[in-house]
Amino acid sequence: MTAPLHEPTAEAAPSAAEEAAVGKSDAKAVQGRSLGRIAWERLKRDKLALAGSVVVLFLIAVALLAPVITSLVGQDPEAHHEELIDPLFGTPTGSWGGISSEHLLGVEPVNGRDIFARIVYGARISLLVGFLSALVAVVIGTVLGILAGFFGGWVDAAISRVMDGLLAFPQLLFIIALVSVMPNEMLGLTGTGVRLFVMILVIGFFGWPYIGRVVRGQTLSLREREYVEAARSLGAGRFYILFKELLPNLVAPIIVYTTMMIPTNILTEAALSFLGVGVKPPTASWGQMLSSAIDYYDSDPMYMVIPGVAIFITVLAFNLFGDGVRDALDPKGSR
């Protein structure tokens, strides 16, 4: 006779505590992440972008705290130290352009102004022009780009032709001509304030077509999406669709392009100051320092190297940060 088959034993039913633990783990597994959190996690993996962001934050802090920093080292960016200048050659005494414990980056030829203090204050000018001119370009470019892409027709044609004309216009020559004929007083501003105001407006005005074309192209794609059609079917007006449905979805490309515009604007300001149509002495500017260093590049090379390195580090940091932001906000991007 065959042995009797054993009946399968019933498994023990899970306890209430085990069911609660499983429920919590399942809820944690399916927990969603916002787009901002996904972008931040992607950005954290990009070490170069993080390094660039640290440098950018450091430069912003230096620009904001320029008076505090210069007072701590006991230097004034406009104070002259002729006793540190060789009366025969007009160059700083000592090695490396007069670098010492008192003058951390040396002094300028002829007048002996402290280079460290002027570099710190020069960061204010570069970042101020870079950020504000980018803000002007973003506001104009976003508004006109979204209008051109959404309405199409003659509105798109007119705005597009204006963008084409501005892109073909010699921006640098126009700024030089405009700044050269500007009065010393305007809108309550005088001297350097007038020049900064004009540079910010003109650089921003000639920069908006670049971001305008990006926003227009994105709007042409977004206006055909299902959620836009759904808003129309529910009776939403045009401006509601523009600012409630389309604009939030354009934030990512706008942020990316803004981070890429700032270093370009900083270089434009340095070029204008180098050509003599930017801020005037005694206001400190990196481009102005490079222009003054041309006559001393062989006898005092540090006077040219230091502001050049400051411009290089600033532009490189913004570019690295901008590349990282672009990759983080683009779900299809990879490095």
Side-chain angles (χ1 to χ4, degrees):
M1 294 179 64
T2 58
L5 298 175
H6 295 283
E7 294 183 358
T9 58
E11 295 182 358
S15 63
E18 291 175 343
E19 290 180 352
V22 171
K24 289 182 180 179
S25 63
D26 291 342
K28 184 180 296 184
V30 299
Q31 183 179 6
R33 295 180 299 171
S34 65
L35 294 177
R37 183 177 175 183
I38 294 174
W40 169 240
E41 291 178 353
R42 291 170 63 90
L43 184 62
K44 286 193 299 184
R45 294 194 293 267
D46 192 339
K47 304 303 181 183
L48 288 176
L50 288 180
S53 65
V54 170
V55 175
V56 168
L57 293 176
F58 173 75
L59 291 171
I60 294 174
V62 167
L64 293 175
L65 301 176
V68 177
I69 295 173
T70 53
S71 64
L72 289 176
V73 298
Q75 296 297 334
D76 185 345
E78 300 179 9
H80 290 199
H81 302 278
E82 289 86 354
E83 70 279 3
L84 301 176
I85 303 300
D86 188 327
L88 181 59
F89 299 102
T91 56
T93 57
S95 58
W96 300 99
I99 293 179
S100 64
S101 59
E102 185 178 357
H103 301 281
L104 302 178
L105 297 179
V107 295
E108 292 184 343
V110 180
N111 51 54
R113 290 180 296 198
D114 184 76
I115 293 180
F116 175 79
R118 295 185 66 76
I119 287 291
V120 170
Y121 271 86
R124 281 188 153 190
I125 300 297
S126 295
L127 295 181
L128 180 67
V129 175
F131 277 100
L132 292 186
S133 56
L135 178 62
V136 172
V138 166
V139 171
I140 300 176
T142 300
V143 172
L144 295 182
I146 198 172
L147 290 177
F150 181 76
F151 289 102
W154 67 268
V155 176
D156 185 18
I159 295 177
S160 297
R161 297 297 77 77
V162 172
M163 288 192 289
D164 293 338
L166 290 176
L167 290 173
F169 202 82
Q171 171 186 351
L172 193 60
L173 294 178
F174 181 79
I175 297 176
I176 293 173
L178 184 62
V179 173
S180 301
V181 300
M182 290 302 298
N184 290 327
E185 295 184 8
M186 185 178 66
L187 300 176
L189 301 173
T190 58
T192 299
V194 173
R195 290 175 174 269
L196 285 175
F197 179 74
V198 172
M199 279 196 299
I200 290 169
L201 286 185
V202 176
I203 294 174
F205 179 76
F206 281 99
W208 75 261
Y210 296 95
I211 192 169
R213 297 178 72 175
V214 174
V215 172
R216 173 185 174 274
Q218 292 290 326
T219 305
L220 287 173
S221 173
L222 293 176
R223 71 178 185 179
E224 306 299 333
R225 297 291 179 88
E226 292 80 2
Y227 60 87
V228 176
E229 295 297 332
R232 286 198 185 99
S233 65
L234 293 174
R238 291 180 174 179
F239 288 98
Y240 178 89
I241 296 175
L242 281 174
F243 295 104
K244 296 294 185 179
E245 302 291 344
L246 295 180
L247 189 58
N249 290 281
L250 293 170
V251 170
I254 291 173
I255 292 176
V256 170
Y257 207 84
T258 302
T259 59
M260 305 301 289
M261 287 181 64
I262 293 174
T264 303
N265 296 340
I266 290 175
L267 287 176
T268 302
E269 183 278 327
L272 292 172
S273 297
F274 180 85
L275 295 174
V277 294
V279 296
K280 293 292 185 180
T283 304
S285 169
W286 294 344
Q288 176 199 111
M289 295 174 69
L290 281 176
S291 179
S292 302
I294 291 178
D295 298 330
Y296 302 96
Y297 71 92
D298 53 347
S299 58
D300 185 13
M302 293 303 296
Y303 186 30
M304 176 174 286
V305 169
I306 291 172
V309 170
I311 296 173
F312 172 76
I313 292 176
T314 301
V315 174
L316 178 62
F318 273 103
N319 283 332
L320 291 176
F321 178 61
D323 287 341
V325 172
R326 179 191 60 197
D327 294 337
L329 293 177
D330 183 8
K332 297 181 181 180
S334 61
R335 301 198 71 172

